[in-house]
Amino acid sequence: MVKIVSVINLKGGVAKTTTTVQLAECLTSEFGKKVLVIDLDPQTNATIALIGEDKWEEIDSQGQTLFHLFNDKLKNTSTFDVKKALQGGVSNLRLKSLSLLASSIKFIDIQDRISDISKETEHVISPMEVLKTSISSEFSSFDYVLVDCPPNLGFITKNGIEISDYYFIPSIPDNLSTYGIPQIVKNIHDFSEKRSLKIQCLGLLVTKYSSTSNAHRRGIETLPARFGNIFRELKITPATIFETHIPQANATAEAMDYESFPATFKEKYGRTKSGDRYLYEYVIDLAKEFMKRVAA
Ligand SMILES: Nc1ncnc2c1ncn2[C@@H]1O[C@H](COP(=O)(O)OP(=O)(O)OP(=O)(O)O)[C@@H](O)[C@H]1O
Ligand SMILES: [Mg+2]
């Protein structure tokens, strides 16, 4: 059974996209899974990391990015064809079992009008259910669908929540970065209750962890209790912090550059070490823990 997991945080720059791409590549290349990445973010970062700018331009000009799906609903057109839009064999690792539904920066121009979809379709399609009604029939051939969400809980992210079995929250472990997390959990919980959704929290993933930072070390110590309290107060099944912490690794941005041509996953994420381990070792740990949590 395919498992659909959204990667969500209101805060920008906490490694949602990096984690989505690394995890997808790892599940595919190291564990033989079939994975679909859905790039829901108008910033289009996961798309550029997985297919590069030239391919993105080509498919966007052919109407095969998710912008066109939402734009179709606003304009009563039918440009987007999910079968054509699904890009197979993506990533500069040329991973046969990794697919992508791409985003487009043109999304920025319509993101504030997505609520009009209800009116434009005479209430046939809810602005939160565009993905659910248009593309979820394509998911069954995958083991995992990972949804990279923009840094907000607006209509686009709500489309991800509507189709998801789980979500997880990547966060840098300092006080300011974790400040808004109770609101995220509460907002998603209220939304899913109101709409009878199945989505559950898979946990919080510590990212960009610097073991030499006092703020990060203090954060790591206090996070488990603070995170657990959120669920206790809402009286819902608690989620926990992932045991794997992804370290601050300056080679990360470089590794995400589509124009480099690594031969293997381990080469791509093994150019330098963080502490005494390569980045790929942390990502493999994360993938194992992710699969265990999703199966539990
Ligand atoms: N482990 C890491 N170590 C160092 N830098 C990292 C790490 N993970 C991500 N980064 C860098 O941090 C920046 C933000 O990462 P990313 O784009 O994945 O965050 P995001 O949460 O998706 O941001 P946004 O909210 O804008 O979508 C990027 O420049 C990325 O290369
Ligand atoms: Mg992002």
Side-chain angles (χ1 to χ4, degrees):
M1 242 321 239
V2 56
K3 296 290 181 193
I4 304 164
V5 182
S6 281
V7 185
I8 297 179
N9 196 332
L10 291 174
K11 195 160 171 61
V14 297
K16 293 180 290 299
T17 301
T18 304
T19 305
T20 306
V21 169
Q22 291 174 341
L23 184 58
E25 289 177 329
C26 185
L27 288 166
T28 314
S29 72
E30 307 305 295
F31 296 95
K33 301 296 179 188
K34 288 196 76 180
V35 181
L36 168 65
V37 170
I38 300 181
D39 185 359
L40 272 190
D41 190 349
Q43 296 180 92
T44 314
N45 294 345
T47 297
I48 300 300
L50 285 172
I51 60 173
E53 280 185 62
D54 293 348
K55 184 73 184 171
W56 169 77
E57 261 175 37
E58 182 193 320
I59 64 171
D60 196 48
S61 70
Q62 294 166 351
Q64 303 315 328
T65 61
L66 290 170
F67 153 74
H68 295 278
L69 169 63
F70 285 82
N71 198 44
D72 277 348
K73 305 298 174 213
L74 282 170
K75 303 262 171 66
N76 200 18
T77 51
S78 49
T79 332
F80 183 85
D81 175 343
V82 66
K83 291 214 179 347
K84 281 195 206 142
L86 268 172
Q87 303 297 309
V90 300
S91 154
N92 54 8
L93 295 169
R94 308 278 179 265
L95 297 166
K96 246 198 235 126
S97 309
L98 181 54
S99 299
L100 170 74
L101 278 171
S103 186
S104 168
I105 44 177
K106 291 181 195 150
F107 230 142
I108 294 169
D109 302 332
I110 62 159
Q111 62 181 354
D112 296 334
R113 285 193 285 130
I114 286 177
S115 60
D116 295 345
I117 285 174
S118 178
K119 203 170 64 207
E120 297 299 334
T121 62
E122 286 165 352
H123 306 285
V124 174
I125 298 174
S126 141
M128 267 107 56
E129 292 184 320
V130 176
L131 288 187
K132 189 184 255 174
T133 52
S134 310
I135 62 168
S136 56
S137 57
E138 300 301 314
F139 296 164
S140 59
S141 61
F142 296 97
D143 296 307
Y144 301 106
V145 177
L146 299 179
V147 189
D148 185 26
C149 295
N152 58 58
L153 287 172
F155 279 112
I156 298 179
T157 302
K158 293 270 169 36
N159 270 273
I161 295 172
E162 282 275 345
I163 58 170
S164 291
D165 300 296
Y166 297 101
Y167 72 99
F168 72 89
I169 309 172
S171 178
I172 302 167
D174 59 52
N175 259 339
L176 279 184
S177 299
T178 52
Y179 188 68
I181 289 173
Q183 267 56 46
I184 299 171
V185 176
K186 183 169 187 316
N187 187 298
I188 294 176
H189 171 67
D190 291 349
F191 179 71
S192 76
E193 279 228 308
K194 202 162 82 195
R195 298 185 55 88
S196 307
L197 306 176
K198 59 196 165 182
I199 191 165
Q200 284 178 21
C201 186
L202 204 57
L204 183 149
L205 174 69
V206 170
T207 54
K208 296 173 136 184
Y209 175 59
S210 167
S211 57
T212 55
S213 153
N214 286 335
H216 285 199
R217 282 213 307 273
R218 260 199 317 278
I220 296 272
E221 274 168 30
T222 56
L223 257 183
R226 282 169 54 215
F227 193 57
N229 274 340
I230 302 172
F231 296 85
R232 245 188 312 281
E233 276 170 21
L234 292 170
K235 298 189 172 61
I236 53 175
T237 322
T240 55
I241 315 289
F242 277 77
E243 278 170 39
T244 312
H245 301 161
I246 303 296
Q248 172 75 30
N250 295 335
T252 303
E254 212 176 300
M256 296 292 288
D257 180 5
Y258 183 78
E259 303 300 330
S260 59
F261 296 98
T264 63
F265 175 77
K266 287 183 179 166
E267 187 190 313
K268 181 163 178 172
Y269 299 108
R271 295 203 179 117
T272 51
K273 281 186 172 177
S274 288
D276 55 358
R277 299 174 87 213
Y278 290 109
L279 183 55
Y280 70 76
E281 296 181 75
Y282 295 95
V283 183
I284 288 173
D285 284 352
L286 171 63
K288 285 184 188 157
E289 200 180 348
F290 171 87
M291 288 188 284
K292 210 156 96 191
R293 283 179 179 238
V294 166

